[in-house]
Amino acid sequence: MAPATLPKFGLGASLARVEDHSLLTGSGRYADDAAAQSDALHAVLLRSPYGHARIERIDASAARDVPGVHRVYTAEDIGHLNDLPCTAMVPQKNGERITQRAIPLLCRDTVRHVGDAVALLIADSVNIGKRAAELIEVDYDALDVCVETGDALAEDAALVYPESGTNLAFESFLGDRDATDASFAEATHITTVSLVNNRLVCNYMEPRACLAQYDASGDVFEMEVPSQGVHGMRDALVASLGIDADKLRVLTGDVGGGFGTKVFCYREYPLCLNAARDLGRPIRWTCERGEHFVQDAHGRDNLVTARMAMDESGRFLALDVDLIAAMGAYLNAFGPFIPYLGVSMSTGIYDIPALAANIRGVFTHTTPTDAYRGAGRPEATYVLERLVDACARDLGLTPDEIRRRNMIRTEQLPYKSAGGRLYDTGEFREHMALAMERADWAGFDARAKDAETRGRFRGIGMATYIEACAFAGSEPAHLTLGLDGGFSLRIGTQSNGQGHATAYAQIAAEVLGVDYTDIELRQGNTDELATGGGTGGSRSIPLGGASAQVAARALLERIRTLAAEQLEAAEADIELHAGTARVIGTDRQIALVTLAAAAPDEAARTGIGDVQQAEATYPNGTHICELEVDPSTGICELVKWTAIDDFGVTVNPLLLTGQVIGGVVQGIGQCLHERVVYDETGQLLTGSLMDYQLPRAADLPPIHFETRNVPSTTNALGIKGAGEAGTIAAAPAVMNALSDALMRRYGQPEIDMPATPGLLWEHIQSCERLAS
């Protein structure tokens, strides 16, 4: 039985999601559902089969003559449209601006990765478009390629942009080089690691799609598209089309996963809008999974060398990070910002006085990279936590002891990190101790011995993390009493499966005193709300929830004012109950439907909240992974997972658990399953779900999750964002456990991601040979 102190439907209640009925019964509306209901023509893209080539000639005449083909576009037909630029540049060490390498909507004279777009066909059906695309004659002059991040800066590397003379896209720096060098000069111990953070393909359940329409009478466009925020999508589209914002309406319905990758505007969207204007017909496009692999922004792909300077007692003095981050063939929307954001979190929850982080972004003949769940913070945490374990081994300390010696103490908070981050609250030693207790860390040796009797070897590893998310800013909320007596909340975030409709409703319902199912969430329509920050960086509930609470308070006061006038009572005596506003302690009441009708206008029955947040929130925690390895197959089985997280305040434990577990699974996928492989010609060899393995339910361990919360002081509700935390903690926990297993067995802890069965088996064979 739940404790009596738990709220019925407000903050902290484990309420079922209100959005699930439509999704489970098939009545949800995704972008492709909208397209299927129209008389739209179909868009098909002709994409480059080469990783790098000059386009010598394009002859689309035969394709244009195919019955059912309405238009074929090449680069010369869309000169009035603008390329898709990078909008998040970072400062360079030399003070120069980064050269813009925007994504062309259709390639003009050069293709730079397999899947680069060469032509757009508009046809009566997808099959007609595909058959016509095969008739387009393109003379390619194949060129050398560079696909490996580690080869990009070699003297003989094939150049993505030969005119620049290098594949270096930019070089940035964060920290204090002089202080760091001085600390290394004084250090008693220095530990170094070199690590790979492997490239990932997002693989959300719902591939991208769009329905583009144009109304000639008003010179107005409309686009329905799965996004993580319609306002940001609108702004990118109008920039590409060269039109005013009031000439485009963007809609987003249900979205089957985003993970950062659906934030971006892709070339198909402005191309389809332009075609809709040209042809006077709706245009639909749905991404096939194979296109997704080569077109949608990839994640991660970093190489890093990190060094830790320590004194004689193992206290951390300074951290030096040298990072090479693959940008792919172009600078995607936020591409350069992702590693820069990540290194700001390089020192984690440790009291490290000095940091020097050098970042080099490099071009390769591959799909561009950008934000993927965690956006730089998983990469930074992975490096740090692997390095901390290596420091422990070098000094003969246990993983928990070296962390305990170096963690920021509670009395040091608020704490300004060497990366420039201001941590407000947290109890880092305490959640590590609780995680160790829940994981039965002390009993591991007995379990390891048991594994040996079964021909396996066992490892245990931890990751202690902190991340910056829900960054400074606001997310305005508008809560309205409808003429039907119900409530609707308009806000500029966008649910991608997180459960926004439930979480926002809980927060507002607690203030109003109504059932949370009485509150309808309205997102995804630029005509209904002037601005919105979208969903990303775990910002929606911390920022949007705070504004929703204020909006509910404002609306409650408006309702009390209206009701007090109608009932001739004091405003303070009015409460909401069962669809009415009533005078407390009496039977005098008025239906909300009647009250709404009596309001002079919508503004009189709308509350607005716009809570400004001045600093990010900093969720943190400890995850512990225990695993077994079968040396005969290289299969790594996760047998136990413990997660203790500090999210400040929990809105809905059920939603939170889903977020954490989902994040952990994605981190596990990177460690043990997912592997992007390009060959020497730039072909993506892992370009389908037959070749690119995703984690399955059978690959996952039992996951014990609980919170040990310390409310945030930077967020009005005390919430610390939670959407990315599981992914941030998972990869280092798994790989530290695997390193522990290899160290116990062979005395060789070095292992990189991804530790797929084949690669791990090869590594074990190498260790066996060395041991013999």
Side-chain angles (χ1 to χ4, degrees):
M1 178 177 293
T5 55
L6 278 180
K8 179 180 178 182
F9 43 64
L11 281 171
S14 292
L15 302 179
R17 289 166 36 124
V18 297
E19 48 268 270
D20 284 349
H21 178 76
S22 65
L23 301 179
L24 294 172
T25 58
S27 57
R29 180 184 170 98
Y30 295 87
D32 193 56
D33 294 325
Q37 295 164 12
S38 76
D39 61 344
L41 300 174
H42 294 257
V44 172
L45 274 291
L46 176 66
R47 302 185 185 275
S48 169
Y50 289 91
H52 189 201
R54 278 190 293 269
I55 300 174
E56 302 289 351
R57 181 183 70 96
I58 300 178
D59 182 355
S61 57
R64 291 187 173 103
D65 291 339
V66 172
V69 171
H70 292 256
R71 189 68 63 90
V72 178
Y73 294 90
T74 61
E76 64 181 13
D77 302 310
I78 58 166
H80 57 292
L81 302 180
N82 297 313
D83 294 344
L84 303 176
C86 173
T87 57
M89 297 294 194
V90 295
Q92 290 208 87
K93 286 174 64 174
N94 60 12
E96 296 180 3
R97 290 180 61 85
I98 298 174
T99 301
Q100 180 69 259
R101 299 296 186 183
I103 299 174
L105 301 186
L106 294 174
C107 294
R108 301 175 184 88
D109 53 17
T110 305
V111 293
R112 292 184 170 87
H113 68 88
V114 169
D116 232 352
V118 176
L120 170 72
L121 300 92
I122 306 298
D124 286 335
S125 72
V126 171
N127 287 337
I128 290 173
K130 286 183 175 181
R131 289 197 296 270
E134 294 175 354
L135 299 177
I136 298 177
E137 297 180 10
V138 184
D139 291 342
Y140 293 103
D141 179 13
L143 302 171
D144 292 338
V145 303
C146 176
V147 296
E148 295 295 335
T149 305
D151 297 337
L153 298 178
E155 289 186 6
D156 60 348
L159 300 180
V160 180
Y161 298 95
E163 66 274 18
S164 69
T166 179
N167 281 326
L168 183 67
F170 65 89
E171 185 168 11
S172 294
F173 179 82
L174 185 69
D176 186 329
R177 171 55 67 191
D178 291 341
T180 301
D181 288 348
S183 293
F184 271 88
E186 298 173 359
T188 305
H189 305 283
I190 296 175
T191 294
T192 303
V193 295
S194 293
L195 299 166
V196 173
N197 209 291
N198 47 308
R199 179 178 284 246
L200 301 175
V201 178
C202 179
N203 278 309
Y204 23 63
M205 287 192 292
E206 178 208 14
R208 291 188 300 111
C210 69
L211 174 64
Q213 301 187 72
Y214 176 71
D215 179 2
S217 64
D219 187 28
V220 175
F221 294 87
E222 181 178 287
M223 168 70 80
E224 185 150 359
V225 59
S227 75
Q228 291 181 229
V230 289
H231 297 90
M233 185 65 70
R234 177 198 61 194
D235 294 345
L237 284 168
V238 299
S240 181
L241 293 169
I243 61 174
D244 294 333
D246 62 359
K247 294 295 184 181
L248 173 63
R249 178 191 189 203
V250 178
L251 303 172
T252 293
D254 291 316
V255 181
F259 310 118
T261 313
K262 280 183 182 163
V263 167
F264 317 121
C265 179
Y266 292 89
R267 60 200 351 155
E268 295 85 5
Y269 305 156
L271 287 172
C272 286
L273 285 167
N274 180 67
R277 175 173 54 187
D278 286 351
L279 298 173
R281 292 276 301 275
I283 307 296
R284 63 178 294 190
W285 173 79
T286 300
C287 187
E288 296 184 354
R289 187 64 64 174
E291 289 182 289
H292 165 75
F293 270 87
V294 298
Q295 167 63 35
D296 294 7
H298 289 178
R300 316 291 191 240
D301 199 349
N302 293 343
L303 300 177
V304 63
T305 296
R307 301 185 302 144
M308 187 75 80
M310 295 169 281
D311 66 15
E312 66 280 355
S313 65
R315 292 296 304 273
F316 299 156
L317 304 175
L319 174 63
D320 189 295
V321 177
D322 181 38
L323 173 66
I324 299 176
M327 296 291 103
Y330 305 102
L331 296 180
N332 210 63
F334 306 151
F337 180 66
I338 303 308
Y340 191 81
L341 170 62
V343 299
S344 73
M345 299 301 299
S346 289
T347 57
I349 61 174
Y350 305 109
D351 184 12
I352 305 176
L355 167 69
N358 199 69
I359 310 161
R360 287 173 288 174
V362 297
F363 290 117
T364 54
H365 293 103
T366 60
T367 301
T369 62
D370 211 310
Y372 175 69
R373 197 168 190 172
R377 286 94 82 201
E379 295 93 312
T381 300
Y382 178 70
V383 172
L384 179 63
E385 289 300 290
R386 292 293 306 275
L387 176 58
V388 168
D389 263 29
C391 291
R393 287 191 295 269
D394 285 353
L395 297 177
L397 299 175
T398 61
D400 57 303
E401 178 56 31
I402 197 163
R403 286 170 170 81
R404 197 173 293 109
R405 291 185 187 185
N406 287 286
M407 284 176 173
I408 298 164
R409 300 185 305 279
T410 303
E411 59 267 25
Q412 290 178 274
L413 297 168
Y415 177 91
K416 184 69 172 290
S417 77
R421 294 293 176 186
L422 185 62
Y423 306 156
D424 59 329
T425 64
E427 296 175 350
F428 310 131
R429 287 171 174 78
E430 288 79 1
H431 62 59
M432 183 180 73
L434 181 58
M436 294 177 68
E437 176 186 338
R438 296 288 190 264
D440 187 19
W441 186 281
F444 172 76
D445 286 343
R447 297 191 296 275
K449 290 179 180 178
D450 176 71
E452 290 178 6
T453 66
R454 293 180 280 107
R456 297 185 168 202
F457 54 96
R458 199 167 179 123
I460 191 169
M462 70 167 61
T464 50
Y465 78 93
I466 189 168
E467 71 148 323
C469 65
F471 297 99
S474 72
E475 188 61 60
H478 300 244
L479 185 61
T480 300
L481 171 62
L483 295 175
D484 62 354
F487 299 89
S488 62
L489 175 69
R490 288 173 289 138
I491 196 163
T493 57
Q494 183 62 54
S495 180
N496 302 156
Q498 301 94 330
H500 288 183
T502 303
Y504 286 136
Q506 284 185 245
I507 293 168
E510 184 174 45
V511 174
L512 294 173
V514 302
D515 193 283
Y516 79 113
T517 60
D518 292 336
I519 299 175
E520 176 193 15
L521 176 64
R522 299 189 66 84
Q523 299 177 314
N525 186 337
T526 54
D527 279 0
E528 289 193 353
L529 203 60
T531 62
T535 291
S538 301
R539 70 184 301 276
S540 295
I541 301 307
L543 272 66
S547 292
Q549 185 186 70
V550 171
R553 289 172 179 164
L555 176 59
L556 182 59
E557 291 309 308
R558 290 183 181 274
I559 292 174
R560 283 174 167 166
T561 299
L562 292 170
E565 182 178 345
Q566 296 289 324
L567 297 173
E568 298 181 347
E571 292 181 12
D573 292 336
I574 302 296
E575 68 176 356
L576 303 190
H577 175 72
T580 69
R582 69 181 183 183
V583 179
I584 298 173
T586 74
D587 59 359
R588 295 166 58 202
Q589 62 185 25
I590 184 171
L592 292 179
V593 171
T594 305
L595 201 62
D601 53 30
E602 184 176 292
R605 47 189 173 85
T606 297
I608 300 175
D610 187 5
V611 178
Q612 297 288 328
Q613 184 171 299
E615 172 60 271
T617 69
Y618 294 94
N620 57 88
T622 300
H623 285 217
I624 295 176
C625 171
E626 193 166 328
L627 53 76
E628 287 187 356
V629 178
D630 183 345
S632 66
T633 63
I635 292 176
C636 180
E637 180 186 0
L638 306 183
V639 296
K640 192 174 185 181
W641 195 281
T642 305
I644 308 295
D645 292 293
D646 172 5
F647 294 130
V649 168
T650 298
V651 176
N652 182 317
L654 286 176
L655 297 181
L656 180 61
T657 300
Q659 285 284 289
V660 172
I661 291 176
V664 167
V665 172
Q666 284 184 283
I668 290 170
Q670 178 173 12
C671 294
L672 302 179
H673 304 279
E674 301 181 49
R675 186 186 184 202
V676 173
V677 180
Y678 287 93
D679 72 9
E680 66 279 1
T681 68
Q683 295 296 322
L684 181 61
L685 301 183
T686 51
S688 77
L689 293 177
M690 294 293 290
D691 311 296
Y692 185 91
Q693 182 177 329
L694 296 175
R696 303 177 182 180
D699 300 316
L700 307 177
I703 297 177
H704 172 84
F705 163 64
E706 63 181 279
T707 55
R708 192 186 185 285
N709 289 334
V710 182
S712 168
T713 61
T714 62
N715 178 261
L717 298 178
I719 299 171
K720 302 173 182 177
E724 298 154 308
T727 307
I728 291 169
V734 172
M735 297 308 290
N736 279 342
L738 185 53
S739 294
D740 178 65
L742 292 167
M743 185 68 186
R744 291 169 183 268
R745 178 83 169 207
Y746 302 111
Q748 299 287 334
E750 291 78 15
I751 183 73
D752 259 328
M753 296 189 293
T756 61
L759 294 177
L760 182 54
W761 183 85
E762 291 177 1
H763 185 79
I764 290 170
Q765 298 309 302
S766 176
C767 290
E768 294 277 7
R769 288 192 293 271
L770 288 173
S772 61

